[in-house]
Amino acid sequence: MPDSGSLSVKTVSRLAGLSAHTLRAWERRYGAVTPRRTETGHRLYSQSDVERLKLLVKLVEQGNSIGRIARLQDEELAQLCRSMAPERGSQSPLLQELERQEQKTDATAGETHERIGRILEELLDAIPGFELDRVADALTRARQTLSPRDFALEIIAPVLGEVGLRVSHGRMGISQEHLLSSRIRSALEAALEQLDRGLRSQPWAVALATAQGDLHEFGSLIGAVLCASHGLRPLFLGPNLPAPDFAEAVRSTRARVALLGTTPLPPGAMPLSYEEYLTRLDSQLPRDCALWLGGRGDIKLGALKLQHEVRAIATLELLDHALKGIS
Amino acid sequence: MPDSGSLSVKTVSRLAGLSAHTLRAWERRYGAVTPRRTETGHRLYSQSDVERLKLLVKLVEQGNSIGRIARLQDEELAQLCRSMAPERGSQSPLLQELERQEQKTDATAGETHERIGRILEELLDAIPGFELDRVADALTRARQTLSPRDFALEIIAPVLGEVGLRVSHGRMGISQEHLLSSRIRSALEAALEQLDRGLRSQPWAVALATAQGDLHEFGSLIGAVLCASHGLRPLFLGPNLPAPDFAEAVRSTRARVALLGTTPLPPGAMPLSYEEYLTRLDSQLPRDCALWLGGRGDIKLGALKLQHEVRAIATLELLDHALKGIS
DNA sequence: GGCAGTTTGTCTAAGTTTTGTCTAAATATA
DNA sequence: TATATTTAGACAAAACTTAGACAAACTGCC
């Protein structure tokens, strides 16, 4: 029985460093610890009770309120204790930021998943009632807690998928969709800008766009975030870009990859079919620039004779992997 | 709850280095941080709140005014902090102070105009060569030096006008235009979000959108920024919104004004003409909601018999004035 | 330079919540 | 019997809340 010691109130009070009165009050009011009892009602504290109490005392001394932390699990207490530790005085903001990023990554995998689930739920829950505050909060929180890559892949992509479904089933209005899209786009752009600031002076690596008439920009935008996450400086040219302009941009910036986002579109939505668009793009693109197709656009590559080798990358996960390969 | 510390006002005041009074004033007046609350109303600060506050304190000490920086995003703060830092270290505090005073006084009214001119030039100069870094810097600087209203009216609107001219004259490529638009939009959205955070809990005042088929969103977006600057909470629904959805959104949010952004478009660009669109919108809009038309769309109002009184507001300056009237 | 208006830190006042401490009476232990 | 522990409840200090006042400093403007 290593952990079932039988320490009395007085002993524990001395060991943990608080009065017996307080000790009992903490138990009565906040359930800070729940020692075993003798048949006659006397408390029997264990060694781990003492440890827990010591931790609580320490945290309270650091300014936490006992009523708020008393019911936390041991693990949560330990974590809180760790996160309270860095109380170094005047650090440069840069260092602070780095530290914060470290803190982010040190969340364990399991927790991350749970958190992602919560954020997803929160987002999808807040949309129907125009609760933009909650949406904004959830997005901000997600962007602060997760890496840009995870933010894009684990939060934004699923949300967009679900939104698409709901809209097509009539379970979500177009105005709600627009509102959410707008917020999501601005969050993605902020993430992209943030990453991009770290890639200045780097050469442009991947140019992204969608074809003329294709207004679905999110695929490319997430693609750009992924590129930047892998250290490949993206040139996000937005949706609806004519082939000559795409080629010209690639030429001017000497990007190594041209990534065209594609979507299954009804015929006639685009002034040129994907096949026609690709033919033109192919002929005007520099020789040493790779041509990638992202997304699930309906394209018959077989019939085309293109100079560039074309690589089709259907999903964002595959793109993530492909980028890992060339970075 | 990984990041949801339970720090009290007092603790945070000690950690961040400002008085509890000031801390609350910053929250009340500028929304510098928004801690969670207990059921009884006591504030619960998180560790990241503390980080943010430390940053704010530092920036305020360096001469920034809290009212201007309190609502900036965390990253913007970090960036601002970095950009304030450069020549520190070897200088005496006295010299720093003198320098700061110089910097302050040299920003007189007359120079605001000159500064606007410089930023404009910088922007238009950096675009042709894909110098996105300079573009981003200029935009960030503009957004930090100017009020959101001035930023939108004095910088963004003229730039967009000039860009439109250049594109139509073939003096600017479409890819450059897309790149710039994307940055501008994200800057405007950031400004909007920043303002919006100060308007939470306010009722929705103005709903903005453009008609189905009209993809020009900048007018409405700037309009939204103007609304927010005047304390009128905007609901920016984005471009390309069908009339029923517009009306539904207005109904759900009880917005007092529906503002439709319009543009002179070639016939056939929109599935419904403005006249048809307006007729539908008019019939579905709540009675007590005003209907405003922004921009220079070509609309024959005379022939229409609408229930709502329609107010046409051709320019952003006029909109600014109209908003002043109802705020 | 002087003047009106805004910004901002500080403070007061009155009321609520949290929390450590204590009392009283009953029971247990040694 | 003397000492410890139990419960329930009382109490007050400390801390927190909001609303508003106020003056110093800063702003833009003439």
Side-chain angles (χ1 to χ4, degrees):
Chain A
M1 299 274 158
D3 194 41
S4 60
S6 51
L7 309 166
S8 68
V9 184
K10 194 164 197 176
T11 319
V12 171
S13 137
R14 184 171 42 77
L15 289 177
L18 32 57
S19 81
H21 276 303
T22 306
L23 186 43
R24 279 190 284 257
W26 281 16
E27 181 186 336
R28 172 166 28 108
R29 300 211 262 240
Y30 325 110
V33 287
T34 347
R36 293 186 308 135
R37 300 294 190 111
T38 65
E39 307 89 55
T40 54
H42 282 209
R43 290 171 174 78
L44 295 175
Y45 292 89
S46 71
Q47 196 58 47
S48 59
D49 285 335
V50 177
E51 294 305 321
R52 182 181 169 84
L53 285 167
K54 275 189 190 168
L55 217 55
L56 285 174
V57 168
K58 180 174 173 188
L59 285 168
V60 165
E61 275 169 1
Q62 283 177 351
N64 292 279
S65 106
I66 181 61
R68 284 286 121 195
I69 61 172
R71 286 181 197 285
L72 295 179
Q73 311 280 347
D74 285 355
E75 260 177 61
E76 296 175 288
L77 284 181
Q79 201 199 331
L80 184 56
C81 206
R82 248 173 291 142
S83 79
M84 296 283 300
E87 207 201 305
R88 268 147 279 163
S90 50
Q91 264 187 0
S92 82
L94 205 60
L95 276 181
Q96 281 178 25
E97 199 172 13
L98 287 177
E99 206 170 1
R100 214 173 330 152
Q101 280 169 10
E102 260 176 78
Q103 278 178 16
K104 275 180 218 163
T105 52
D106 92 40
T108 65
E111 270 173 44
T112 305
H113 253 84
E114 207 181 304
R115 201 179 326 165
I116 287 177
R118 266 206 312 275
I119 293 175
L120 264 175
E121 254 175 63
E122 173 86 2
L123 268 175
L124 291 172
D125 192 47
I127 305 167
F130 288 97
E131 299 174 71
L132 282 192
D133 300 349
R134 276 175 71 199
V135 171
D137 281 343
L139 282 176
T140 308
R141 197 144 26 88
R143 217 155 72 63
Q144 279 173 356
T145 13
L146 302 172
S147 71
R149 180 183 162 281
D150 288 348
F151 174 65
L153 281 183
E154 311 279 352
I155 300 281
I156 298 306
V159 167
L160 287 174
E162 177 65 24
V163 167
L165 267 181
R166 291 194 184 183
V167 168
S168 69
H169 286 63
R171 281 182 291 133
M172 179 182 289
I174 296 188
S175 47
Q176 275 101 333
E177 186 216 355
H178 279 209
L179 279 171
L180 188 63
S181 301
S182 163
R183 293 301 172 125
I184 286 183
R185 191 180 49 205
S186 109
L188 281 175
E189 277 171 348
L192 187 56
E193 216 162 306
Q194 187 186 344
L195 285 169
D196 210 43
R197 228 175 287 141
L199 295 174
R200 294 186 166 196
S201 76
Q202 298 258 349
W204 301 104
V206 183
L208 304 99
T210 76
Q212 207 172 3
D214 174 6
L215 301 178
H216 298 79
E217 66 188 310
F218 279 119
S220 306
L221 190 44
I222 296 180
V225 171
L226 290 182
C227 291
S229 303
H230 287 287
L232 297 161
R233 191 173 187 197
L235 183 74
F236 177 64
L237 294 160
N240 195 19
L241 190 68
D245 295 277
F246 196 175
E248 202 267 338
V250 170
R251 233 176 300 127
S252 308
T253 58
R254 302 216 188 99
R256 288 153 53 200
V257 179
L259 176 47
L260 182 74
T262 68
T263 328
L265 284 170
M270 294 164 40
L272 301 175
S273 71
Y274 273 125
E275 287 77 13
E276 292 168 318
Y277 188 94
L278 275 177
T279 309
R280 296 188 193 202
L281 186 58
D282 178 68
S283 70
Q284 294 179 48
L285 225 45
R287 235 17 196 327
D288 59 347
C289 171
L291 178 51
W292 292 8
L293 297 179
R296 294 216 174 73
D298 207 10
I299 307 170
K300 288 174 189 58
L301 280 174
L304 297 177
K305 289 223 173 60
L306 301 180
Q307 302 183 321
H308 294 81
E309 198 176 326
V310 175
R311 185 163 170 191
I313 303 173
T315 69
L316 289 169
E317 283 74 21
L318 288 173
L319 176 60
D320 190 46
H321 192 256
L323 290 170
K324 216 175 286 174
I326 67 165
S327 66
Chain B
M1 297 283 154
D3 188 41
S4 61
S6 58
L7 305 171
S8 63
V9 189
K10 197 183 182 185
T11 316
V12 171
S13 127
R14 184 170 46 80
L15 291 177
L18 31 52
S19 80
H21 277 304
T22 307
L23 187 43
R24 278 190 283 256
W26 282 15
E27 179 187 337
R28 171 165 30 106
R29 301 210 262 240
Y30 325 110
V33 288
T34 330
R36 296 184 311 135
R37 300 295 192 109
T38 66
E39 308 86 51
T40 52
H42 284 203
R43 292 170 175 77
L44 293 175
Y45 293 87
S46 72
Q47 198 63 44
S48 55
D49 287 333
V50 177
E51 295 300 327
R52 182 181 169 85
L53 284 167
K54 276 190 195 168
L55 224 54
L56 285 173
V57 167
K58 183 165 202 160
L59 287 168
V60 166
E61 276 168 1
Q62 284 175 352
N64 295 82
S65 95
I66 181 61
R68 295 210 133 263
I69 62 171
R71 288 186 200 284
L72 294 179
Q73 316 265 4
D74 286 358
E75 294 116 39
E76 295 179 289
L77 285 180
Q79 197 204 341
L80 185 55
C81 206
R82 249 168 293 161
S83 74
M84 300 276 304
E87 354 101 58
R88 206 186 7 168
S90 56
Q91 265 187 3
S92 77
L94 197 63
L95 276 180
Q96 281 179 35
E97 179 113 3
L98 285 176
E99 205 171 4
R100 199 161 63 217
Q101 280 170 9
E102 259 177 81
Q103 276 177 15
K104 271 184 219 164
T105 51
D106 96 64
T108 62
E111 290 200 11
T112 303
H113 258 83
E114 207 181 306
R115 197 178 332 163
I116 287 178
R118 266 206 310 275
I119 293 174
L120 263 174
E121 249 174 67
E122 172 85 4
L123 268 175
L124 291 172
D125 191 48
I127 306 166
F130 289 96
E131 298 174 70
L132 282 192
D133 301 347
R134 277 175 70 199
V135 171
D137 281 343
L139 282 175
T140 307
R141 197 142 27 85
R143 214 155 78 63
Q144 281 168 1
T145 14
L146 302 172
S147 72
R149 180 183 162 281
D150 288 349
F151 174 65
L153 282 183
E154 313 278 351
I155 300 281
I156 298 305
V159 167
L160 286 174
E162 177 65 24
V163 167
L165 268 181
R166 290 196 185 181
V167 168
S168 69
H169 285 64
R171 279 183 291 134
M172 180 183 289
I174 296 187
S175 48
Q176 276 101 334
E177 184 215 357
H178 280 208
L179 279 171
L180 188 63
S181 300
S182 164
R183 293 302 171 124
I184 286 183
R185 191 180 50 207
S186 107
L188 281 175
E189 276 170 349
L192 187 56
E193 213 165 327
Q194 182 185 334
L195 286 168
D196 209 45
R197 227 178 301 146
L199 295 175
R200 294 185 168 196
S201 75
Q202 298 259 350
W204 300 105
V206 183
L208 304 99
T210 76
Q212 207 173 3
D214 174 7
L215 302 178
H216 298 78
E217 66 188 313
F218 279 119
S220 306
L221 191 45
I222 296 180
V225 171
L226 290 182
C227 290
S229 303
H230 287 287
L232 298 161
R233 191 172 187 198
L235 182 74
F236 177 64
L237 294 160
N240 195 18
L241 188 68
D245 296 277
F246 196 174
E248 203 268 336
V250 170
R251 233 177 300 128
S252 307
T253 58
R254 301 214 189 99
R256 289 153 52 199
V257 178
L259 176 47
L260 182 74
T262 68
T263 329
L265 284 170
M270 294 165 41
L272 301 174
S273 72
Y274 273 124
E275 286 77 15
E276 292 167 316
Y277 187 94
L278 275 177
T279 308
R280 297 186 190 205
L281 186 57
D282 178 65
S283 70
Q284 295 179 49
L285 225 45
R287 236 5 192 343
D288 58 346
C289 170
L291 178 51
W292 292 8
L293 298 178
R296 296 217 172 74
D298 208 10
I299 308 171
K300 289 175 188 55
L301 281 174
L304 297 177
K305 289 223 172 63
L306 302 179
Q307 302 182 320
H308 294 82
E309 199 177 324
V310 175
R311 185 163 170 191
I313 302 173
T315 70
L316 290 168
E317 283 73 22
L318 288 173
L319 177 61
D320 190 47
H321 193 257
L323 290 169
K324 214 175 290 175
I326 67 165
S327 66

